[in-house]
Amino acid sequence: MKALISVSDKTGIVEFAQALHALGVQLLSTGGTAKLLADKGLPVTEVAEVTQFPEMLDGRVKTLHPMVHGGLLARRDTPAHMAALKEHGIETIDLLVVNLYPFEATVAKAGCTLADAIENIDIGGPAMVRSAAKNWADVGVITAADQYDAVLAELKTAGKLSNKLRFEMSVAAFNRISQYDGAISDYLSSVKFEDEKLSEEYVPTRDLFPGQSNSQFVKIQDLRYGENSHQQAAWYRDLYPAPGSLATGVQLQGKELSYNNIADADAAWECVKSFDVPACVIVKHANPCGVAIGKDAHESYAKAFQTDPTSAFGGIIAFNRPVDKAAAEAVSKQFVEVLMAPAFSAEALEIFKSKVNVRLMTIALPAGGATDWDNGRNAVESKRIGSGLLLQTSDNHELTLADLKVVTVKQPTPEELNDLLFAWNVAKFVKSNAIVFCKNGMTMGVGAGQMSRLDSARIASIKAEAAKLSLQNTVVASDAFFPFRDGLDVVVDAGATCVAQPGGSMRDQEVIDAANERGVAMVFTGVRHFRH
């Protein structure tokens, strides 16, 4: 048995090669990999000795040769293939171990030059991988270090690789080539070429939306059904998921997550992790029905639950702090579909042990930083339409006190300003049209997803009344501007004393005059939060 090893990432390769050698496998290799293995005392033959042609062009040409590809592509069950190998002195290669030049990591670096990007496009590696993967019935192809153990296990027990493992590795190999080519296409079709001199230091400007979109996703699991039982569904994650995102979560117990569970869990998690202080978010049918901050998980949950106990039944609950015994005891009294937190105490886990259907998930909070990735957020989001795709940058805008523009005679109090920021943050996660009443770091009434902003305002008031919550002296966030004064009158009639809205309507002055007439404060945020 003969193995050809040529890897860019050499993690674990020495140990793997040593194990192959111990099993009697002959080793072929190239360049730096061959030197590394030889330095470790392994008997390795350089590919140049086999091809009788030296590596050239700074290593760009070394394996693109019939002595290599013939050994990979020849079908062992086809006499004509084997006769051709014999005629030309080509020996078969039974195992290929290749990982590719780090193109994705290279272009992800700040200041990556076009020259560096181009130089990290692997040619020989993908060509060999494709050859071996096509001939999977005879050749095993390894494209990742996490495949080493499975290969060694079968070689040790059976002396050969099973058809099942070779096929699985072939599929993984073609997937890797697809990912690699997609990354190259994404990068090159985003480059705005502006340097006719082609200097080595040229760092190109890149378009946020490339000429071709080649997003790569990996299946996490098949789902029982989609939004409805007659629909099929599966859950996929980004090839490189951002830390702190839902796709990185671990389910500790409970039934399998459903399509709707996952969609609602994402809405809850994205909302709760946007707060710097202890917070709880309860989501039902993609909308927050209760959000609050408190001194700890228990207090924030107690306040969030008050907003709409009816809708909270069968909801999704997310915390941005560990769930302790007190919080767990409180949550366990209601019917909950999914419960998410960075961690659960031993006492909390014990409380939920008897509730076997409750899905518990842990998700580590992102470390935070300057980029969307650092904060576990998508930089770009998509929406599928008929025979097409809409892409846009995600709504990751964060409002600060300095952004608020007071447009009324009455000035908001410091407490009202803090509640306005809280309400505005919640409104970002409520479906449009969105109206959110808040007070003391707690949602008091949420109106979501209505065709009319007036209806959203009325629904928020109805829900507050049903929950026996007073809207007197509350603040209100509206995700888009009030086109007429009637919407403002509805929230003021309900008890609001301070309102935040984007502004930008032709009738802004009419609404400002109405606020002054009603004796309430109003601030403009300058941005809106449509969420469809």
Side-chain angles (χ1 to χ4, degrees):
M1 187 174 189
K2 187 174 294 183
L4 171 53
I5 303 174
S6 181
V7 293
S8 176
D9 179 0
K10 296 176 175 54
T11 303
I13 194 59
V14 171
E15 294 79 6
F16 182 63
Q18 289 170 335
L20 290 178
H21 173 61
L23 292 168
V25 178
Q26 298 178 54
L27 305 179
L28 299 179
S29 193
T30 62
T33 306
K35 184 178 185 305
L36 173 64
L37 299 182
D39 288 345
K40 295 297 182 179
L42 287 165
V44 58
T45 301
E46 287 220 38
V47 165
E49 295 180 39
V50 175
T51 62
Q52 292 299 296
F53 205 92
E55 291 187 15
M56 60 185 297
L57 306 181
D58 298 320
R60 286 188 171 197
V61 178
K62 51 192 173 188
T63 58
L64 297 170
H65 195 282
M67 299 295 286
V68 173
H69 287 271
L72 292 170
L73 280 166
R75 290 183 56 176
R76 283 38 164 188
D77 62 351
T78 303
H81 283 201
M82 300 311 291
L85 292 192
K86 184 176 181 180
E87 178 184 353
H88 296 287
I90 300 174
E91 296 184 359
T92 56
I93 298 171
D94 309 291
L95 183 64
L96 177 71
V97 187
V98 168
N99 55 57
L100 310 177
Y101 293 173
F103 180 83
E104 296 101 326
T106 299
V107 299
K109 295 176 183 175
C112 173
T113 65
L114 181 59
D116 281 342
I118 297 298
E119 200 57 35
N120 276 278
I121 296 177
D122 202 333
I123 303 299
M128 288 192 294
V129 168
R130 292 176 70 90
S131 292
K134 177 176 180 176
N135 200 24
W136 67 270
D138 295 309
V139 181
V141 55
I142 296 175
T143 50
D146 61 9
Q147 297 170 323
Y148 295 164
D149 288 344
V151 168
L152 290 176
E154 289 203 355
L155 290 179
K156 288 175 181 178
T157 57
K160 63 179 182 178
L161 300 181
S162 64
N163 288 339
K164 182 177 185 292
L165 181 58
R166 284 198 307 272
F167 184 74
E168 288 175 352
M169 293 196 298
S170 171
V171 172
F174 279 118
N175 286 344
R176 177 63 188 125
I177 297 303
S178 171
Q179 296 158 3
Y180 197 71
D181 287 344
I184 294 169
S185 171
D186 281 340
Y187 173 81
L188 293 178
S189 61
S190 74
V191 168
K192 297 179 179 179
F193 194 85
E194 299 165 340
D195 187 353
E196 290 298 328
K197 296 180 181 178
L198 284 177
S199 68
E200 288 290 317
E201 294 78 26
Y202 173 48
V203 178
T205 301
R206 296 178 60 187
D207 196 321
L208 182 62
F209 302 104
Q212 180 167 311
S213 177
N214 300 282
S215 299
Q216 301 287 341
F217 297 91
V218 177
K219 186 161 71 175
I220 295 177
Q221 67 186 74
D222 289 309
L223 303 175
R224 287 175 295 160
Y225 52 83
E227 276 188 295
N228 301 291
S229 59
H230 63 278
Q231 294 172 272
Q232 295 177 307
W235 182 13
Y236 290 76
R237 64 161 173 79
D238 279 315
L239 183 60
Y240 304 108
S245 57
L246 182 70
T248 66
V250 176
Q251 185 172 348
L252 302 180
Q253 74 161 54
K255 295 188 296 184
E256 178 183 302
L257 289 163
S258 71
Y259 181 98
N260 293 327
N261 289 157
I262 295 166
D264 287 351
D266 185 62
W269 183 248
E270 289 299 308
C271 183
V272 81
K273 74 182 183 185
S274 68
F275 294 100
D276 294 328
V277 295
C280 175
V281 175
I282 307 175
V283 163
K284 190 70 172 289
H285 292 300
N287 279 299
C289 61
V291 182
I293 57 176
K295 68 177 185 294
D296 53 26
H298 178 240
E299 183 180 69
S300 60
Y301 166 74
K303 292 168 66 176
F305 183 76
Q306 286 182 64
T307 303
D308 190 351
T310 301
S311 297
F313 180 85
I316 310 292
I317 303 178
F319 292 91
N320 64 356
R321 294 293 187 274
V323 172
D324 58 12
K325 179 181 179 181
E329 286 177 338
V331 173
S332 68
K333 296 175 183 177
Q334 75 158 101
F335 170 48
V336 57
E337 289 276 6
V338 182
L339 179 59
M340 296 173 289
F344 293 86
S345 70
E347 294 87 351
L349 291 175
E350 187 63 30
I351 289 170
F352 285 104
K353 184 180 291 186
S354 62
K355 296 181 177 294
V356 294
N357 289 331
V358 176
R359 303 162 179 90
L360 297 187
M361 287 188 71
T362 57
I363 310 175
L365 288 170
T371 67
D372 291 325
W373 174 274
D374 295 331
N375 291 288
R377 301 183 301 206
N378 296 331
V380 175
E381 58 190 32
S382 63
K383 178 172 294 200
R384 194 77 166 95
I385 59 171
S387 295
L389 187 73
L390 294 174
L391 296 178
Q392 66 173 352
T393 56
S394 298
D395 184 6
N396 294 330
H397 181 271
E398 296 181 359
L399 198 70
T400 67
L401 285 174
D403 298 322
L404 300 179
K405 178 184 177 184
V406 180
V407 294
T408 51
V409 174
K410 185 178 180 182
Q411 298 289 309
T413 66
E415 292 77 18
E416 287 175 329
L417 287 174
N418 285 330
D419 274 334
L420 280 179
L421 289 180
F422 173 83
W424 186 253
N425 194 39
V426 174
K428 181 164 68 172
F429 299 95
V430 177
K431 300 288 187 179
S432 299
N433 287 308
I435 294 290
V436 180
F437 286 83
C438 293
K439 186 177 181 180
N440 298 328
M442 167 183 165
T443 50
M444 306 294 284
V446 179
Q450 299 304 304
M451 292 73 78
S452 163
R453 193 161 300 279
L454 281 172
D455 288 340
S456 289
R458 291 175 181 133
I459 288 172
S461 298
I462 292 170
K463 283 187 167 292
E465 183 178 359
K468 296 181 173 54
L469 294 175
S470 171
L471 296 181
Q472 294 302 309
N473 301 314
T474 55
V475 306
V476 166
S478 172
D479 67 335
F481 61 64
F482 290 103
F484 303 97
R485 67 167 291 168
D486 52 2
L488 176 76
D489 284 328
V490 170
V491 299
V492 174
D493 288 344
T497 59
C498 190
V499 178
Q501 60 137 320
S505 167
M506 293 176 59
R507 294 183 175 84
D508 272 351
Q509 193 56 53
E510 174 187 324
V511 179
I512 293 171
D513 290 343
N516 284 327
E517 175 190 322
R518 300 297 302 270
V520 298
M522 178 181 288
V523 302
F524 283 2
T525 64
V527 294
R528 75 181 186 195
H529 279 318
F530 273 168
R531 187 178 182 88
H532 293 101

